[in-house]
mmCIF file of all heavy atoms in Angstrom:
data_model
loop_
_atom_site.group_PDB
_atom_site.id
_atom_site.type_symbol
_atom_site.label_atom_id
_atom_site.label_comp_id
_atom_site.label_asym_id
_atom_site.label_seq_id
_atom_site.Cartn_x
_atom_site.Cartn_y
_atom_site.Cartn_z
ATOM 1 N N SER A 1 0.815 -1.220 0.000
ATOM 2 C CA SER A 1 0.000 0.000 0.000
ATOM 3 C C SER A 1 0.842 1.260 0.000
ATOM 4 O O SER A 1 0.372 2.326 -0.394
ATOM 5 C CB SER A 1 -0.922 0.003 1.229
ATOM 6 O OG SER A 1 -0.168 -0.061 2.428
ATOM 7 N N THR A 2 2.076 1.136 0.437
ATOM 8 C CA THR A 2 2.961 2.286 0.462
ATOM 9 C C THR A 2 4.391 1.807 0.425
ATOM 10 O O THR A 2 4.652 0.612 0.588
ATOM 11 C CB THR A 2 2.703 3.129 1.727
ATOM 12 O OG1 THR A 2 3.486 4.331 1.674
ATOM 13 C CG2 THR A 2 3.102 2.366 2.988
ATOM 14 N N ARG A 3 5.301 2.702 0.205
ATOM 15 C CA ARG A 3 6.713 2.342 0.193
ATOM 16 C C ARG A 3 7.334 2.816 1.505
ATOM 17 O O ARG A 3 7.340 4.006 1.798
ATOM 18 C CB ARG A 3 7.425 3.000 -0.979
ATOM 19 C CG ARG A 3 8.895 2.635 -1.081
ATOM 20 C CD ARG A 3 9.516 3.226 -2.334
ATOM 21 N NE ARG A 3 10.930 2.986 -2.425
ATOM 22 C CZ ARG A 3 11.474 1.876 -2.890
ATOM 23 N NH1 ARG A 3 10.693 0.911 -3.309
ATOM 24 N NH2 ARG A 3 12.780 1.720 -2.952
ATOM 25 N N LEU A 4 7.804 1.870 2.303
ATOM 26 C CA LEU A 4 8.433 2.190 3.567
ATOM 27 C C LEU A 4 9.940 2.020 3.450
ATOM 28 O O LEU A 4 10.420 0.966 3.044
ATOM 29 C CB LEU A 4 7.908 1.282 4.684
ATOM 30 C CG LEU A 4 6.423 1.413 5.045
ATOM 31 C CD1 LEU A 4 6.077 0.441 6.166
ATOM 32 C CD2 LEU A 4 6.096 2.838 5.459
ATOM 33 N N ALA A 5 10.662 3.057 3.837
ATOM 34 C CA ALA A 5 12.124 2.982 3.759
ATOM 35 C C ALA A 5 12.676 1.921 4.698
ATOM 36 O O ALA A 5 13.778 1.414 4.486
ATOM 37 C CB ALA A 5 12.720 4.337 4.091
ATOM 38 N N SER A 6 11.889 1.552 5.722
ATOM 39 C CA SER A 6 12.372 0.580 6.700
ATOM 40 C C SER A 6 12.253 -0.865 6.223
ATOM 41 O O SER A 6 12.788 -1.766 6.857
ATOM 42 C CB SER A 6 11.600 0.744 8.010
ATOM 43 O OG SER A 6 10.224 0.528 7.797
ATOM 44 N N ILE A 7 11.550 -1.091 5.107
ATOM 45 C CA ILE A 7 11.420 -2.459 4.580
ATOM 46 C C ILE A 7 12.722 -2.862 3.914
ATOM 47 O O ILE A 7 13.170 -2.215 2.970
ATOM 48 C CB ILE A 7 10.268 -2.555 3.574
ATOM 49 C CG1 ILE A 7 8.940 -2.239 4.257
ATOM 50 C CG2 ILE A 7 10.226 -3.939 2.935
ATOM 51 C CD1 ILE A 7 8.537 -3.216 5.327
ATOM 52 N N TYR A 8 13.347 -3.950 4.404
ATOM 53 C CA TYR A 8 14.624 -4.373 3.826
ATOM 54 C C TYR A 8 14.490 -5.641 2.980
ATOM 55 O O TYR A 8 15.429 -6.013 2.267
ATOM 56 C CB TYR A 8 15.685 -4.563 4.910
ATOM 57 C CG TYR A 8 15.410 -5.685 5.880
ATOM 58 C CD1 TYR A 8 15.779 -6.996 5.581
ATOM 59 C CD2 TYR A 8 14.797 -5.441 7.093
ATOM 60 C CE1 TYR A 8 15.534 -8.027 6.472
ATOM 61 C CE2 TYR A 8 14.550 -6.466 7.986
ATOM 62 C CZ TYR A 8 14.920 -7.755 7.664
ATOM 63 O OH TYR A 8 14.665 -8.774 8.547
ATOM 64 N N ALA A 9 13.332 -6.292 3.062
ATOM 65 C CA ALA A 9 13.139 -7.489 2.241
ATOM 66 C C ALA A 9 11.663 -7.768 2.065
ATOM 67 O O ALA A 9 10.849 -7.503 2.961
ATOM 68 C CB ALA A 9 13.819 -8.698 2.875
ATOM 69 N N MET A 10 11.323 -8.315 0.903
ATOM 70 C CA MET A 10 9.969 -8.800 0.654
ATOM 71 C C MET A 10 10.077 -10.187 0.066
ATOM 72 O O MET A 10 11.080 -10.526 -0.577
ATOM 73 C CB MET A 10 9.209 -7.872 -0.291
ATOM 74 C CG MET A 10 8.902 -6.514 0.311
ATOM 75 S SD MET A 10 7.847 -5.500 -0.736
ATOM 76 C CE MET A 10 6.286 -6.400 -0.643
ATOM 77 N N GLY A 11 9.052 -10.977 0.291
ATOM 78 C CA GLY A 11 9.136 -12.335 -0.198
ATOM 79 C C GLY A 11 7.808 -13.058 -0.193
ATOM 80 O O GLY A 11 6.766 -12.468 0.100
ATOM 81 N N TRP A 12 7.902 -14.319 -0.524
ATOM 82 C CA TRP A 12 6.739 -15.205 -0.584
ATOM 83 C C TRP A 12 6.983 -16.415 0.300
ATOM 84 O O TRP A 12 8.058 -17.028 0.247
ATOM 85 C CB TRP A 12 6.481 -15.672 -2.012
ATOM 86 C CG TRP A 12 6.016 -14.574 -2.913
ATOM 87 C CD1 TRP A 12 6.790 -13.766 -3.698
ATOM 88 C CD2 TRP A 12 4.672 -14.156 -3.127
ATOM 89 N NE1 TRP A 12 6.005 -12.875 -4.382
ATOM 90 C CE2 TRP A 12 4.691 -13.092 -4.054
ATOM 91 C CE3 TRP A 12 3.438 -14.575 -2.637
ATOM 92 C CZ2 TRP A 12 3.540 -12.450 -4.488
ATOM 93 C CZ3 TRP A 12 2.285 -13.939 -3.069
ATOM 94 C CH2 TRP A 12 2.340 -12.892 -3.979
ATOM 95 N N TYR A 13 5.976 -16.739 1.085
ATOM 96 C CA TYR A 13 5.945 -17.963 1.868
ATOM 97 C C TYR A 13 4.749 -18.781 1.403
ATOM 98 O O TYR A 13 3.830 -18.254 0.772
ATOM 99 C CB TYR A 13 5.790 -17.651 3.356
ATOM 100 C CG TYR A 13 7.020 -17.077 4.023
ATOM 101 C CD1 TYR A 13 7.463 -15.790 3.729
ATOM 102 C CD2 TYR A 13 7.741 -17.827 4.948
ATOM 103 C CE1 TYR A 13 8.589 -15.262 4.342
ATOM 104 C CE2 TYR A 13 8.873 -17.305 5.570
ATOM 105 C CZ TYR A 13 9.280 -16.029 5.264
ATOM 106 O OH TYR A 13 10.400 -15.516 5.880
ATOM 107 N N ARG A 14 4.744 -20.051 1.742
ATOM 108 C CA ARG A 14 3.575 -20.877 1.431
ATOM 109 C C ARG A 14 3.298 -21.829 2.579
ATOM 110 O O ARG A 14 4.210 -22.188 3.328
ATOM 111 C CB ARG A 14 3.778 -21.647 0.128
ATOM 112 C CG ARG A 14 4.840 -22.729 0.169
ATOM 113 C CD ARG A 14 5.019 -23.344 -1.219
ATOM 114 N NE ARG A 14 6.015 -24.410 -1.217
ATOM 115 C CZ ARG A 14 6.439 -25.025 -2.316
ATOM 116 N NH1 ARG A 14 5.946 -24.676 -3.506
ATOM 117 N NH2 ARG A 14 7.333 -25.985 -2.233
ATOM 118 N N GLN A 15 2.041 -22.215 2.673
ATOM 119 C CA GLN A 15 1.631 -23.157 3.705
ATOM 120 C C GLN A 15 0.640 -24.141 3.107
ATOM 121 O O GLN A 15 -0.448 -23.751 2.670
ATOM 122 C CB GLN A 15 1.020 -22.437 4.898
ATOM 123 C CG GLN A 15 0.732 -23.344 6.080
ATOM 124 C CD GLN A 15 0.438 -22.569 7.347
ATOM 125 O OE1 GLN A 15 0.110 -21.382 7.309
ATOM 126 N NE2 GLN A 15 0.579 -23.224 8.484
ATOM 127 N N ALA A 16 1.034 -25.402 3.102
ATOM 128 C CA ALA A 16 0.163 -26.470 2.631
ATOM 129 C C ALA A 16 -0.603 -27.033 3.827
ATOM 130 O O ALA A 16 -0.159 -26.895 4.974
ATOM 131 C CB ALA A 16 0.995 -27.558 1.968
ATOM 132 N N PRO A 17 -1.734 -27.684 3.587
ATOM 133 C CA PRO A 17 -2.524 -28.239 4.691
ATOM 134 C C PRO A 17 -1.696 -29.183 5.555
ATOM 135 O O PRO A 17 -1.005 -30.072 5.035
ATOM 136 C CB PRO A 17 -3.645 -28.980 3.976
ATOM 137 C CG PRO A 17 -3.790 -28.285 2.674
ATOM 138 C CD PRO A 17 -2.402 -27.866 2.286
ATOM 139 N N GLY A 18 -1.720 -28.970 6.855
ATOM 140 C CA GLY A 18 -1.013 -29.832 7.783
ATOM 141 C C GLY A 18 0.483 -29.595 7.854
ATOM 142 O O GLY A 18 1.189 -30.346 8.549
ATOM 143 N N LYS A 19 0.969 -28.571 7.175
ATOM 144 C CA LYS A 19 2.403 -28.293 7.173
ATOM 145 C C LYS A 19 2.678 -26.888 7.688
ATOM 146 O O LYS A 19 1.795 -26.034 7.717
ATOM 147 C CB LYS A 19 2.976 -28.457 5.768
ATOM 148 C CG LYS A 19 2.925 -29.880 5.245
ATOM 149 C CD LYS A 19 3.691 -30.011 3.953
ATOM 150 C CE LYS A 19 3.725 -31.442 3.452
ATOM 151 N NZ LYS A 19 4.501 -31.591 2.202
ATOM 152 N N GLN A 20 3.922 -26.661 8.074
ATOM 153 C CA GLN A 20 4.319 -25.340 8.537
ATOM 154 C C GLN A 20 4.526 -24.394 7.356
ATOM 155 O O GLN A 20 4.828 -24.829 6.241
ATOM 156 C CB GLN A 20 5.622 -25.449 9.350
ATOM 157 C CG GLN A 20 5.442 -26.102 10.706
ATOM 158 C CD GLN A 20 6.693 -25.983 11.560
ATOM 159 O OE1 GLN A 20 7.804 -25.925 11.049
ATOM 160 N NE2 GLN A 20 6.507 -25.936 12.869
ATOM 161 N N ARG A 21 4.380 -23.110 7.645
ATOM 162 C CA ARG A 21 4.646 -22.115 6.620
ATOM 163 C C ARG A 21 6.141 -22.115 6.315
ATOM 164 O O ARG A 21 6.975 -22.170 7.233
ATOM 165 C CB ARG A 21 4.201 -20.731 7.114
ATOM 166 C CG ARG A 21 4.159 -19.673 6.047
ATOM 167 C CD ARG A 21 3.533 -18.391 6.571
ATOM 168 N NE ARG A 21 2.127 -18.576 6.921
ATOM 169 C CZ ARG A 21 1.317 -17.573 7.222
ATOM 170 N NH1 ARG A 21 1.765 -16.327 7.223
ATOM 171 N NH2 ARG A 21 0.061 -17.821 7.556
ATOM 172 N N GLU A 22 6.469 -22.047 5.020
ATOM 173 C CA GLU A 22 7.873 -22.098 4.625
ATOM 174 C C GLU A 22 8.189 -20.988 3.637
ATOM 175 O O GLU A 22 7.333 -20.564 2.858
ATOM 176 C CB GLU A 22 8.206 -23.452 3.981
ATOM 177 C CG GLU A 22 7.443 -23.748 2.707
ATOM 178 C CD GLU A 22 7.861 -25.053 2.051
ATOM 179 O OE1 GLU A 22 8.746 -25.750 2.567
ATOM 180 O OE2 GLU A 22 7.292 -25.379 0.984
ATOM 181 N N LEU A 23 9.449 -20.555 3.670
ATOM 182 C CA LEU A 23 9.901 -19.540 2.740
ATOM 183 C C LEU A 23 10.021 -20.141 1.343
ATOM 184 O O LEU A 23 10.592 -21.215 1.167
ATOM 185 C CB LEU A 23 11.256 -18.990 3.182
ATOM 186 C CG LEU A 23 11.931 -18.006 2.235
ATOM 187 C CD1 LEU A 23 11.154 -16.699 2.162
ATOM 188 C CD2 LEU A 23 13.365 -17.740 2.663
ATOM 189 N N VAL A 24 9.491 -19.417 0.363
ATOM 190 C CA VAL A 24 9.620 -19.822 -1.031
ATOM 191 C C VAL A 24 10.728 -19.006 -1.697
ATOM 192 O O VAL A 24 11.650 -19.557 -2.301
ATOM 193 C CB VAL A 24 8.295 -19.616 -1.796
ATOM 194 C CG1 VAL A 24 8.470 -19.970 -3.259
ATOM 195 C CG2 VAL A 24 7.196 -20.460 -1.163
ATOM 196 N N ALA A 25 10.647 -17.697 -1.583
ATOM 197 C CA ALA A 25 11.645 -16.827 -2.208
ATOM 198 C C ALA A 25 11.577 -15.459 -1.555
ATOM 199 O O ALA A 25 10.520 -15.031 -1.083
ATOM 200 C CB ALA A 25 11.437 -16.709 -3.712
ATOM 201 N N GLN A 26 12.726 -14.774 -1.566
ATOM 202 C CA GLN A 26 12.813 -13.469 -0.936
ATOM 203 C C GLN A 26 13.734 -12.589 -1.761
ATOM 204 O O GLN A 26 14.689 -13.081 -2.366
ATOM 205 C CB GLN A 26 13.359 -13.626 0.487
ATOM 206 C CG GLN A 26 13.485 -12.351 1.275
ATOM 207 C CD GLN A 26 13.864 -12.638 2.718
ATOM 208 O OE1 GLN A 26 13.021 -12.951 3.551
ATOM 209 N NE2 GLN A 26 15.146 -12.536 2.993
ATOM 210 N N ILE A 27 13.433 -11.277 -1.772
ATOM 211 C CA ILE A 27 14.282 -10.324 -2.471
ATOM 212 C C ILE A 27 14.519 -9.144 -1.542
ATOM 213 O O ILE A 27 13.589 -8.626 -0.922
ATOM 214 C CB ILE A 27 13.652 -9.889 -3.821
ATOM 215 C CG1 ILE A 27 14.605 -8.981 -4.597
ATOM 216 C CG2 ILE A 27 12.292 -9.231 -3.641
ATOM 217 C CD1 ILE A 27 14.198 -8.807 -6.062
ATOM 218 N N THR A 28 15.782 -8.732 -1.435
ATOM 219 C CA THR A 28 16.116 -7.645 -0.529
ATOM 220 C C THR A 28 16.016 -6.297 -1.248
ATOM 221 O O THR A 28 15.861 -6.237 -2.474
ATOM 222 C CB THR A 28 17.532 -7.807 0.033
ATOM 223 O OG1 THR A 28 18.464 -7.602 -1.035
ATOM 224 C CG2 THR A 28 17.735 -9.192 0.628
ATOM 225 N N SER A 29 16.146 -5.239 -0.468
ATOM 226 C CA SER A 29 16.081 -3.901 -1.039
ATOM 227 C C SER A 29 17.237 -3.629 -1.997
ATOM 228 O O SER A 29 17.138 -2.769 -2.867
ATOM 229 C CB SER A 29 16.068 -2.853 0.076
ATOM 230 O OG SER A 29 17.198 -3.012 0.912
ATOM 231 N N SER A 30 18.310 -4.393 -1.865
ATOM 232 C CA SER A 30 19.451 -4.238 -2.766
ATOM 233 C C SER A 30 19.359 -5.155 -3.975
ATOM 234 O O SER A 30 20.240 -5.143 -4.827
ATOM 235 C CB SER A 30 20.756 -4.508 -2.014
ATOM 236 O OG SER A 30 20.762 -5.807 -1.477
ATOM 237 N N GLY A 31 18.286 -5.971 -4.024
ATOM 238 C CA GLY A 31 18.073 -6.833 -5.175
ATOM 239 C C GLY A 31 18.585 -8.255 -5.030
ATOM 240 O O GLY A 31 18.435 -9.063 -5.958
ATOM 241 N N ASP A 32 19.178 -8.577 -3.913
ATOM 242 C CA ASP A 32 19.630 -9.950 -3.683
ATOM 243 C C ASP A 32 18.426 -10.864 -3.490
ATOM 244 O O ASP A 32 17.457 -10.485 -2.830
ATOM 245 C CB ASP A 32 20.537 -10.019 -2.465
ATOM 246 C CG ASP A 32 21.831 -9.244 -2.674
ATOM 247 O OD1 ASP A 32 22.311 -9.185 -3.812
ATOM 248 O OD2 ASP A 32 22.340 -8.691 -1.683
ATOM 249 N N THR A 33 18.526 -12.057 -4.048
ATOM 250 C CA THR A 33 17.407 -13.003 -3.940
ATOM 251 C C THR A 33 17.843 -14.283 -3.230
ATOM 252 O O THR A 33 19.017 -14.657 -3.228
ATOM 253 C CB THR A 33 16.844 -13.363 -5.316
ATOM 254 O OG1 THR A 33 17.863 -13.976 -6.100
ATOM 255 C CG2 THR A 33 16.321 -12.126 -6.029
ATOM 256 N N ASN A 34 16.854 -14.927 -2.642
ATOM 257 C CA ASN A 34 17.059 -16.198 -1.960
ATOM 258 C C ASN A 34 15.868 -17.075 -2.310
ATOM 259 O O ASN A 34 14.720 -16.664 -2.116
ATOM 260 C CB ASN A 34 17.140 -15.970 -0.446
ATOM 261 C CG ASN A 34 17.301 -17.260 0.319
ATOM 262 O OD1 ASN A 34 17.909 -18.205 -0.162
ATOM 263 N ND2 ASN A 34 16.744 -17.305 1.520
ATOM 264 N N THR A 35 16.123 -18.267 -2.850
ATOM 265 C CA THR A 35 15.052 -19.146 -3.314
ATOM 266 C C THR A 35 15.196 -20.520 -2.668
ATOM 267 O O THR A 35 16.303 -21.049 -2.578
ATOM 268 C CB THR A 35 15.103 -19.283 -4.840
ATOM 269 O OG1 THR A 35 15.082 -17.989 -5.432
ATOM 270 C CG2 THR A 35 13.909 -20.070 -5.355
ATOM 271 N N ALA A 36 14.093 -21.082 -2.227
ATOM 272 C CA ALA A 36 14.110 -22.403 -1.615
ATOM 273 C C ALA A 36 14.582 -23.449 -2.620
ATOM 274 O O ALA A 36 14.274 -23.369 -3.817
ATOM 275 C CB ALA A 36 12.713 -22.760 -1.107
ATOM 276 N N ASP A 37 15.305 -24.442 -2.116
ATOM 277 C CA ASP A 37 15.828 -25.489 -3.001
ATOM 278 C C ASP A 37 14.707 -26.208 -3.748
ATOM 279 O O ASP A 37 14.888 -26.620 -4.894
ATOM 280 C CB ASP A 37 16.637 -26.497 -2.183
ATOM 281 C CG ASP A 37 17.961 -25.923 -1.720
ATOM 282 O OD1 ASP A 37 18.416 -24.909 -2.274
ATOM 283 O OD2 ASP A 37 18.550 -26.513 -0.790
ATOM 284 N N SER A 38 13.561 -26.346 -3.106
ATOM 285 C CA SER A 38 12.460 -27.095 -3.707
ATOM 286 C C SER A 38 11.868 -26.422 -4.946
ATOM 287 O O SER A 38 11.182 -27.072 -5.739
ATOM 288 C CB SER A 38 11.353 -27.313 -2.669
ATOM 289 O OG SER A 38 10.867 -26.062 -2.193
ATOM 290 N N VAL A 39 12.118 -25.126 -5.105
ATOM 291 C CA VAL A 39 11.554 -24.411 -6.253
ATOM 292 C C VAL A 39 12.624 -23.773 -7.123
ATOM 293 O O VAL A 39 12.314 -23.143 -8.138
ATOM 294 C CB VAL A 39 10.553 -23.324 -5.796
ATOM 295 C CG1 VAL A 39 9.455 -23.941 -4.926
ATOM 296 C CG2 VAL A 39 11.267 -22.196 -5.051
ATOM 297 N N LYS A 40 13.869 -23.963 -6.741
ATOM 298 C CA LYS A 40 14.958 -23.348 -7.498
ATOM 299 C C LYS A 40 14.950 -23.852 -8.945
ATOM 300 O O LYS A 40 14.798 -25.046 -9.210
ATOM 301 C CB LYS A 40 16.288 -23.668 -6.812
ATOM 302 C CG LYS A 40 17.420 -22.728 -7.141
ATOM 303 C CD LYS A 40 18.563 -22.858 -6.137
ATOM 304 C CE LYS A 40 18.197 -22.282 -4.794
ATOM 305 N NZ LYS A 40 19.323 -22.297 -3.835
ATOM 306 N N GLY A 41 15.116 -22.911 -9.871
ATOM 307 C CA GLY A 41 15.082 -23.266 -11.281
ATOM 308 C C GLY A 41 13.686 -23.257 -11.880
ATOM 309 O O GLY A 41 13.523 -23.316 -13.108
ATOM 310 N N ARG A 42 12.669 -23.178 -11.026
ATOM 311 C CA ARG A 42 11.274 -23.146 -11.503
ATOM 312 C C ARG A 42 10.580 -21.833 -11.137
ATOM 313 O O ARG A 42 9.754 -21.335 -11.909
ATOM 314 C CB ARG A 42 10.484 -24.304 -10.904
ATOM 315 C CG ARG A 42 11.023 -25.682 -11.256
ATOM 316 C CD ARG A 42 10.080 -26.795 -10.784
ATOM 317 N NE ARG A 42 9.931 -26.826 -9.334
ATOM 318 C CZ ARG A 42 8.761 -26.706 -8.703
ATOM 319 N NH1 ARG A 42 7.644 -26.542 -9.396
ATOM 320 N NH2 ARG A 42 8.706 -26.776 -7.383
#
């Protein structure tokens, strides 16, 4: 809804039924990315 200078990273998590929420991918304010092994390349 707005751009906050204090936000240093945004990303996506997912939660399947009966499972814990897990990180899928994240991108920092400097553009660095981090992707879960299970989805890397896809």
Side-chain angles (χ1 to χ4, degrees):
S1 59
T2 186
R3 182 175 176 83
L4 295 180
S6 60
I7 297 296
Y8 66 85
M10 292 187 69
W12 291 92
Y13 287 70
R14 68 184 181 186
Q15 187 166 19
K19 294 189 177 181
Q20 288 189 331
R21 192 172 295 190
E22 62 176 0
L23 174 68
V24 177
Q26 181 173 278
I27 185 166
T28 69
S29 56
S30 59
D32 295 328
T33 61
N34 178 32
T35 306
D37 288 342
S38 59
V39 304
K40 202 163 289 185
R42 300 188 297 122

